[in-house]
Amino acid sequence: MNLTRNQFDVLSCLAQEDKPKTQREISDNIWKSVGTVNKIVSELSKMSLIKDGAITHKGLYTLEPYRVKRAVFIAAGFGLRMVPITLNTPKPLVRVHGVRMIDTLLDAVVAAGIEEIYIVRGYLGEQFDQLLAKYPQIKFLDNPMYNEANNISSALVAKDLLQNSYVLEADFVLSNPKLISRYQFATNYLGVPVERTDDWCFTVKDGFISKLAQGGTDCFHMFGISYWTESDGKRLSVDIEKACNLPGGMARYWDQVPLEYFIKDYHVEVRRCSFDDIVEIDSFNELKKIDNTYDAK
């Protein structure tokens, strides 16, 4: 059974928790009006996919084709702006309020029931072995080029694992684990709508990313967490290799492959979130502002 986008959004929202949700709660979760939610709930009820505000067994079965199969973490870089803390510790393993940054993401992935987890490591790669005590299902991919190339080299190492997959930069602090859900409808990137930003961002046309830039207005602040469908993941595998062979290709960010070099071949949606949901710590000074235990270092 094929679902419309609105039907998927309501159904997957209900699948995140066992308890029923009100239409107002659904509306707040999926960024759609209560009127739209009311209409979709009525449709899904007639299809026996939900009942009394909760998803049915038939509803869960209907969501199975949209299940995320794996998560790939990009975690090979040095983290130069986080010196001195990264002199002895890879940035994803830096603790914020006592918790490793990557744990906030891994916990969300595990909670979503995603069983295949890959981490592309490079700088001080052996230190990532400590994660196995808590997450024994992790598989590591070693990037021997991490010190000579940008993160496109990590994507190259993992290029055959991108189908039905999340791709996550490993150095975020995730406050809202529900951003990592077990079902996804289409290829997408996380983004926060902003009036102006100096950071990496994308402009959107008709719901799809139309341009990637560093700095912009009336755009979406970009967060490096994306999802790739089976067809887009297959295409991305080929295009990453092509991009690496372009002049200067190994000096680029991997996101530029689908959002710049070959953007005409992809229809990438924006999945909205807020700055309360996720934090990007770019420098040691930013780390100290968030966690004052580093003030003395």
Side-chain angles (χ1 to χ4, degrees):
M1 181 187 301
N2 291 326
L3 297 169
T4 67
R5 180 53 187 265
N6 283 343
Q7 289 171 345
F8 169 84
D9 286 344
V10 171
L11 206 58
S12 60
C13 176
L14 291 174
Q16 289 187 16
E17 297 179 24
D18 293 331
K19 64 180 183 180
K21 282 188 173 73
T22 66
Q23 293 184 18
R24 170 59 67 183
E25 289 172 330
I26 297 172
S27 173
D28 291 341
N29 272 271
I30 67 173
W31 305 88
K32 290 183 170 63
S33 70
V34 174
T36 298
V37 170
N38 178 60
K39 177 177 180 292
I40 301 305
V41 166
S42 177
E43 292 175 2
L44 295 173
S45 297
K46 291 177 181 177
M47 297 161 68
S48 300
L49 302 183
I50 64 174
K51 183 178 181 180
D52 298 328
I55 191 168
T56 64
H57 289 296
K58 183 179 179 182
L60 289 171
Y61 178 80
T62 302
L63 281 174
E64 275 305 300
Y66 305 94
R67 181 181 284 273
V68 179
K69 291 184 178 179
R70 62 186 62 89
V72 175
F73 287 82
I74 304 296
F78 172 58
L80 180 62
R81 294 174 63 190
M82 289 285 282
V83 169
I85 201 70
T86 51
L87 291 176
N88 300 304
T89 305
K91 185 180 176 184
L93 300 181
V94 170
R95 293 181 182 269
V96 181
H97 300 299
V99 179
R100 293 172 300 213
M101 286 196 279
I102 196 173
D103 283 37
T104 67
L105 299 164
L106 284 167
D107 287 346
V109 167
V110 172
I114 300 169
E115 297 179 354
E116 288 187 48
I117 302 174
Y118 298 87
I119 295 179
V120 184
R121 61 185 181 176
Y123 173 66
L124 297 177
E126 70 282 353
Q127 290 197 24
F128 286 91
D129 288 345
Q130 66 186 268
L131 294 172
L132 294 172
K134 184 178 179 182
Y135 312 101
Q137 68 272 49
I138 287 174
K139 295 180 181 179
F140 295 114
L141 304 172
D142 292 308
N143 176 5
M145 301 174 285
Y146 77 90
N147 201 34
E148 306 165 15
N150 216 321
N151 71 4
I152 195 172
S153 61
S154 291
L156 183 64
V157 170
K159 68 182 180 65
D160 295 323
L161 297 168
L162 305 180
Q163 302 169 34
N164 303 108
S165 177
Y166 283 116
V167 179
L168 309 95
E169 293 180 16
D171 53 1
F172 294 118
V173 176
L174 186 65
S175 301
N176 181 7
K178 292 180 182 178
L179 287 182
I180 308 300
S181 59
R182 70 184 62 189
Y183 307 105
Q184 287 293 331
F185 188 81
T187 295
N188 62 72
Y189 264 85
L190 281 185
V192 179
V194 292
E195 293 182 0
R196 178 183 296 274
T197 181
D198 294 325
D199 289 320
W200 283 97
C201 61
F202 28 68
T203 53
V204 176
K205 183 178 181 181
D206 299 326
F208 298 101
I209 295 173
S210 58
K211 183 181 179 181
L212 175 69
Q214 192 165 12
T217 57
D218 296 323
C219 55
F220 281 80
H221 176 102
M222 175 183 180
F223 280 107
I225 296 179
S226 56
Y227 173 75
W228 301 88
T229 62
E230 181 175 5
S231 58
D232 282 340
K234 287 180 179 178
R235 182 179 297 110
L236 193 54
S237 174
V238 175
D239 289 343
I240 286 171
E241 199 160 14
K242 287 181 182 178
C244 286
N245 291 324
L246 293 173
M250 294 299 285
R252 302 299 183 180
Y253 294 103
W254 85 268
D255 316 79
Q256 292 177 277
V257 176
L259 301 183
E260 183 177 334
Y261 292 150
F262 302 102
I263 191 169
K264 292 182 179 180
D265 297 326
Y266 296 86
H267 292 86
V268 183
E269 298 182 358
V270 175
R271 190 155 60 96
R272 287 179 53 164
C273 63
S274 75
F275 289 118
D276 292 330
D277 292 326
I278 186 170
V279 175
E280 183 174 8
I281 302 175
D282 281 330
S283 68
F284 186 59
N285 284 334
E286 289 180 8
L287 176 62
K288 289 192 291 184
K289 289 178 182 178
I290 291 172
D291 187 343
N292 59 19
T293 60
Y294 289 98
D295 280 343
K297 297 184 179 182

